Amino acid sequence: MANENENNLEFKPRSVGTADYIPQFPDGVAIPACPGEEYKFLKLYSDLVSAMNDFNKIDVRRIENLLIEICHMFRLSKAVTRVFKNPEDEQKGISETLSCFDTGENGEEIHSLRFVTSVMTISTITVYMAPDKKRLTEDEFNKVDLVMRTVVSFISRNRMKELVYELAFFDDYGYPNLRNWNNNLTELVMENKAGGKLAFRYNLRHFELINQEFGRQVGDVIMKSHFSQLQSLVGEDGMVARLGGDNFLGLCPGDKTRAVVDYLTEAVVKTPKGGGVNIHTSAGFFRIPSERPATVGEIMGSIISAFRVAQTGGMDNIIFYDDSFVENKDKTMKIQQHFSEALERDEFRPYYQPKVNVITGKLVGAEALCRWFMPNRIVPPAEFIPVLEQTSEICRLDLHMLECVCKDMRRWADEGRELIRISINFSRKHILNTYLPETIAEIVDRYSIPHELIDIEFTESTSEVEFSDLKRMATKLRDMGFYLSIDDFGIGYSSLNLIKDIPWTTLKIDKNFLPEETEDKNSVSNIMFKHVVSMTRQLGLECIAEGVETIEHVSILNYNGCEIAQGYFFDKPLSVKEFEQRLASGKYEIPQ
Ligand code: C2E
Ligand code: MG
Ligand code: MG
């Protein structure tokens, strides 16, 4: 390695001047005790070499002082070193510059050295002398050259060390990486200083939509800015690191929890062009216990479990790990184990929740919502759908539900009832299945149900990839004549592209988006609701409000022109028998 570096020196190397070479006086050769300049130089030089090789602590001030003395001794006006991170930076003149000596006199360059390390960092050193000073003798020039080689090799060596540190502990974008985070955490755990702190893992939600909207470069700046704000929020006793993509890890002192949770729930980050963008995250937290030791493995495992729940847990995007996780793990295992048998035993069946026209009171449709009829109780979907979504079992369940609905509709038709459109929820997990439209059509056709009486509900898409797959699938389903609803609109990151580019027939406004009954007509949520309804109508889509619970809600719908309601005010999800009674009457009374 020494030789390799020597070859990079533009000036023919003498016996010193490589990155790995530490100039030293050979053993047994005493520094001559001659008085005068020769002795002074040898003393300064040997002090410089030992200061640069002090493995305990490099004393920069001392090195600078020695260099100042040496420069004085050789009548130099200035000595400048530069470090370039790579050849491109050198070409552009971007460097860290250290002026180790400068008398302020104008000087001309008398000697310069350039040094390239094996990792392509470049260091240069140049010395200058004022024109009125006595020129250097050959011996003096050799001594200056020797000092310069020593300095430049010292700087290269140090820069290399920093570079190795940067490569090991930071990623290509300059974010601290997992190794960095692990090291810090391990150190805290070993020193018993981790107790009471919070470890967390988070993911920026729908960040690809921000990239889509602002472009990748601006997206990078926004991500960095979000990171830096959080970094200052957790302070010196905490840390944040990037796992890759839009996934991060963090550590914060207990007293910063509230601020960090608020920030991760919603943060406004300035964009480079002005204006702000809201960033939401899904995050899993674990409070590191103070009363007992916790291992790094346990901390990591806990935040990952909490994070998984945060990602699939619907509305709650910030989850704290607690003992119920162990219980939940058992429940999850049980559901996964019993699902197939339960499906065969026909334990999953639909309840139907009516959709009602708020002006006429007419029953215009219904949503099929799955219930698990266990031998001893009826289980709501919140208990098993997230579990089935972890694997792809949810897809089997959705197709089973479609089949149950078609079976019921066939029977109703055969009994001479008038059919209304029924919607069925389809998990996003289906989106990668290119044959889904054909599979749906095959089931529906088997029961001879007209396609326009079947409505497929999808929730918002999450990623760019999913978006294009969703578009392809939606177009095919529409071409086949099925209805297509966007479910839970208004929660999460509802991109306008999602509405514009996908041929939906219906938009279902989530219950959380419905204004409170007590709110003023000009409140922000009322205005937003009004505009979403009017936009939906202008786009020619049907608009349904979910979670309509009171007569005041019904008036809000009426006032804003949203014609269809689904919610407890009219009916909860009903058993088949109860729903058949509603089908028979086909109408609701709406109090005026
Ligand atoms: P969703 O599709 O948004 O269904 C509406 C949920 O809101 C239903 O909960 C319904 O009972 C509830 N709801 C209706 N009206 C009101 C109201 O006025 N107030 C309140 N507070 N809630 C109301 P449910 O039946 O527990 O279903 C929860 C979610 O589970 C559904 O949300 C849907 O995302 C999912 N789900 C249900 N069945 C299936 C299925 O067969 N397949 C898939 N993939 N998901 C399903
Ligand atoms: Mg739904
Ligand atoms: Mg919904």
Side-chain angles (χ1 to χ4, degrees), residues 367 425 457 459 487-489 508-511 546 566:
E367 175 174 8
N425 291 283
E457 292 193 14
T459 43
D487 199 2
D488 303 341
F489 183 82
K508 297 187 77 180
I509 304 180
D510 188 76
K511 48 184 169 289
E546 298 183 278
Q566 180 183 338

Side-chain angles (χ1 to χ4, degrees), residues 334-335 337-349 372-376 396 400 404 407:
K334 270 197 191 123
I335 291 171
Q337 273 167 7
H338 296 298
F339 172 71
S340 282
E341 292 164 23
L343 196 65
E344 271 167 33
R345 283 199 300 264
D346 212 15
E347 287 182 8
F348 295 96
R349 290 200 297 274
W372 185 347
F373 289 81
M374 278 188 168
N376 51 353
R396 288 171 66 198
H400 170 80
C404 290
K407 228 184 251 175

Side-chain angles (χ1 to χ4, degrees), residues 358-359 514-517 519 521 526 529-530 533 545 548-563 565 569-570 590-592:
V358 290
I359 301 164
L514 198 60
E516 298 285 333
E517 303 96 313
E519 271 178 68
K521 278 193 175 139
N526 256 311
F529 183 75
K530 185 192 186 97
V533 174
V548 174
E549 294 184 347
T550 59
I551 184 68
E552 287 81 9
H553 278 153
V554 176
S555 329
I556 292 173
L557 261 60
N558 258 323
Y559 176 76
N560 290 299
C562 176
E563 286 187 3
F569 177 73
F570 294 104
I590 301 185
Q592 290 308 312

